[in-house]
Amino acid sequence: QTFTGAFAVDWLAHVPASRLHIFLDGLHRKLEPGARVAFCDQTPRSSSITGLHDAEGNHLQERDLPDGSRYRVIKHFFSDAELRDILARYADDITIRRFGEQRRVVVAYTLGSSQGVAATAPAR
């Protein structure tokens, strides 16, 4: 089954850098040509940038859960240039809007408006 669009909130920022194109290629294989895609993620606040990185260079944050457990999670804060670079192989109509007060960025594009989906994309 294929779909005419995809929308994900607080998802793309947690995908490891080495798997970004694997994730996007898998998503795009489930979409029809011309499908609209939108991602919404957080923008950083002053305490968001931790300086912690894993061996791949992924930015890490520590999260405390109500049960007292603590986890390290990947949390990217992509610049507009990084988002365009990541998505350029899939579309050329990439729209990026930042909403400062809400600390949100919304990225939208039409699948296949550029070269389309790479059949087997190398890891980034």
Side-chain angles (χ1 to χ4, degrees):
Q1 183 177 7
T2 58
F3 300 90
T4 59
F7 178 65
V9 177
D10 295 337
W11 189 271
L12 193 61
H14 295 289
V15 178
S18 65
R19 297 191 50 82
L20 272 170
H21 288 294
I22 294 167
F23 165 74
L24 289 167
D25 287 345
L27 170 66
H28 294 154
R29 277 193 293 276
K30 297 303 260 176
L31 300 174
E32 295 177 9
R36 290 292 291 162
V37 181
F39 292 102
C40 177
D41 272 298
Q42 291 178 321
T43 58
R45 59 181 135 181
S46 59
S47 62
S48 297
I49 308 300
T50 64
L52 297 172
H53 294 85
D54 64 14
E56 287 185 16
N58 294 300
H59 179 258
L60 302 174
Q61 289 184 333
E62 292 193 352
R63 301 283 172 90
D64 297 320
L65 299 183
D67 68 1
S69 60
R70 177 175 251 190
Y71 295 91
R72 281 194 174 172
V73 298
I74 292 171
K75 181 67 175 183
H76 300 290
F77 296 105
F78 296 115
S79 69
D80 289 6
E82 289 170 320
L83 288 166
R84 288 186 193 288
D85 182 55
I86 291 164
L87 299 172
R89 70 169 66 180
Y90 308 107
D92 57 10
D93 70 337
I94 301 161
T95 303
I96 302 170
R97 293 196 57 202
R98 292 186 179 267
F99 300 89
E101 270 187 43
Q102 293 79 20
R103 292 187 29 253
R104 290 288 176 178
V105 59
V106 177
V107 182
Y109 57 95
T110 304
L111 181 61
S113 65
S114 184
Q115 298 87 350
V117 178
T120 53
R124 178 174 183 254

